Amino acid sequence: MNKTELIEHISSKADITKVQAGRALQATLDAVKATLRKGGTVSLVGFGTFAVSKRAARKGRNPRTGAAIKIKAAKVPKFRPGKGLKDAVN
């Protein structure tokens, strides 16, 4: 399912227009991004938790040349599924 299909699904289930569903989805995604950017977490009970994890700087290898390279430290978004989502999938 892509974003367009998700908007159509939200529109039909919530009995709202596609434009309204698109705005609601975008507002939700923006709120998650803003919270993660600040270093916070977003917990949706029964669905899962979005959080930011720190990845330390490390050394790696260029796969083409085999030369050693430095990989910078980074913040990485993570998602941990909740029990409700796990149960729905299994």
Side-chain angles (χ1 to χ4, degrees):
M1 176 179 281
N2 62 29
K3 189 173 180 180
T4 303
E5 293 167 341
L6 183 58
I7 290 171
E8 288 175 13
H9 183 77
I10 292 169
S11 172
S12 66
K13 292 291 183 181
D15 195 28
I16 57 177
T17 67
K18 288 182 184 178
V19 172
Q20 292 170 327
R23 282 191 207 135
L25 178 59
Q26 192 60 50
T28 303
L29 295 176
D30 289 344
V32 171
K33 286 182 209 176
T35 302
L36 294 178
R37 191 176 300 124
K38 293 176 186 175
T41 62
V42 177
S43 296
L44 303 171
V45 177
F47 184 73
T49 302
F50 296 91
V52 176
S53 178
K54 294 180 182 176
R55 185 181 294 158
R58 62 195 190 279
K59 293 181 182 176
R61 294 224 171 259
N62 182 331
R64 285 188 189 202
T65 64
I69 58 173
K70 293 180 182 178
I71 302 172
K72 295 180 180 180
K75 293 180 183 176
V76 182
K78 301 252 179 168
F79 175 74
R80 191 175 66 190
K83 184 176 180 347
L85 182 58
K86 288 179 188 176
D87 291 344
V89 172
N90 291 320

